Amino acid sequence: MSKIKYKRIVLKVSGEALAGQEGFGIKPPIIVNVAKEIKEVYALGVQIAIVVGGGNIWRGQTGAEMGMERAQADYMGMLATVMNALALQDNLEQLDVPTRVQTSIEMRQIAEPYIRRKAIRHLEKNRVVIFAAGTGNPYFSTDTTAALRAAEIDADVILMAKNNVDGVYSADPNKDVHATKFHELTHLDIIDKGLNVMDTTASSLSMDNNIPLVVFNLNEAGNIKRVVQGEQIGTTIKGDK
Ligand code: UDP
């Protein structure tokens, strides 16, 4: 077996990563690529839990800005993540990767309800577990879900797979020519400097539970594998420098 730095990972895949150029909807050819990348890591024997976002379909914030009640709009966002989870499950299974979807809001006809011990058992049996419907609570994000589930299943790391961004920068590199990339940061840096990595709830949860984070570009082939094998790409965020 080749060298593996992280044995059990939580991979956060944003909704955008499944949407392609337009940033909206589900694009099967894009998901196939994501699934292939995941399969490569699966083949190394890594235990993989995936938290999927829903921003490619619906964001609670958008609904709230249009005058909807925030909680109602957030529940719609959570349902959006379930669609993404099913699409990803389908693509992984077509590549012969065994998977289970667990939802934080029960919908037993299509997925298992989230049960922590069962999720861990699936991982031990080398099934990829896809966590859908966020935390099940409005006012939270799927980044927070990733931090929460990572703590619950005792994951070694959270891999924040970004869409065409290869790490954390001091400013938006597309807008500011002086933006510099950080190779290593602490969770506290993220909160103090207000860096755009994850929301503060997710950051503080990761910090309090001492879960390292790697932010990297999902669109470069082989990157998930590189991170898992300990190659220094993207930005690593840890408890202490
Ligand atoms: N959401 C929520 N609670 C959660 C997770 C998600 O209410 O625990 C809702 C929220 O409205 C959010 C939407 O689901 O906007 C989609 O999730 P997110 O924006 O995190 O997806 P991503 O940006 O990763 O695609």
Side-chain angles (χ1 to χ4, degrees):
M1 210 193 322
S2 57
K3 196 183 107 209
I4 292 173
K5 182 167 183 190
Y6 305 111
K7 180 82 186 93
R8 180 176 290 172
I9 64 171
V10 167
L11 174 69
K12 166 69 209 299
V13 178
S14 69
E16 257 181 26
L18 308 177
Q21 295 286 343
E22 298 105 279
F24 184 81
I26 297 175
K27 299 286 174 309
I30 302 283
I31 305 183
V32 176
N33 284 336
V34 177
K36 281 183 184 157
E37 295 288 307
I38 294 167
K39 184 178 177 167
E40 271 193 10
V41 178
Y42 173 79
L44 296 175
V46 175
Q47 296 182 4
I48 308 168
I50 303 170
V51 172
V52 274
N56 55 322
I57 300 170
W58 182 261
R59 273 183 216 283
Q61 183 77 35
T62 315
E65 279 161 15
M66 294 188 311
M68 282 186 75
E69 192 197 342
R70 176 65 194 258
Q72 180 86 341
D74 276 341
Y75 278 115
M76 288 170 65
M78 287 183 260
L79 293 181
T81 71
V82 179
M83 288 211 258
N84 285 334
L86 295 183
L88 194 54
Q89 174 174 47
D90 182 80
N91 276 274
L92 282 167
E93 299 233 321
Q94 286 193 36
L95 297 175
D96 295 321
V97 178
T99 64
R100 294 290 186 273
V101 174
Q102 291 201 342
T103 58
S104 304
I105 295 170
E106 279 198 28
M107 34 188 103
R108 287 176 179 269
Q109 284 80 0
I110 52 173
E112 291 178 4
Y114 172 63
I115 298 170
R116 187 182 74 91
R117 296 174 69 112
K118 208 165 171 185
I120 293 171
R121 190 81 191 109
H122 288 319
L123 293 172
E124 287 168 351
K125 287 189 166 183
N126 291 321
R127 296 173 186 137
V128 172
V129 179
I130 304 172
F131 293 126
T135 60
N137 302 292
Y139 299 100
F140 288 95
S141 67
T142 52
D143 286 354
T144 299
T145 311
L148 177 64
R149 296 291 181 248
E152 287 185 90
I153 66 167
D154 198 21
D156 301 321
V157 69
I158 302 171
L159 303 191
M160 297 285 290
K162 294 282 179 186
N163 222 12
N164 288 316
V165 185
D166 68 345
V168 182
Y169 283 79
S170 56
D172 184 345
N174 296 318
K175 293 181 188 153
D176 186 344
V177 285
H178 302 296
T180 49
K181 183 176 155 184
F182 297 107
H183 293 280
E184 229 180 277
L185 287 166
T186 64
H187 290 295
L188 207 54
D189 288 335
I190 302 290
I191 298 170
D192 280 351
K193 297 185 205 292
L195 296 169
N196 186 18
V197 179
M198 29 167 44
D199 53 86
T200 44
T201 312
S203 275
S204 45
L205 202 55
S206 310
M207 180 170 73
D208 292 349
N209 294 291
N210 211 11
I211 308 165
L213 215 83
V214 183
V215 182
F216 66 100
N217 185 6
L218 179 66
N219 305 84
E220 209 175 290
N223 262 359
I224 311 177
K225 193 172 168 182
R226 285 188 192 101
V227 176
V228 164
Q229 292 184 319
E231 229 181 274
Q232 290 291 326
I233 61 163
T235 304
T236 304
I237 300 152
K238 292 191 214 154
D240 304 295
K241 274 222 165 96

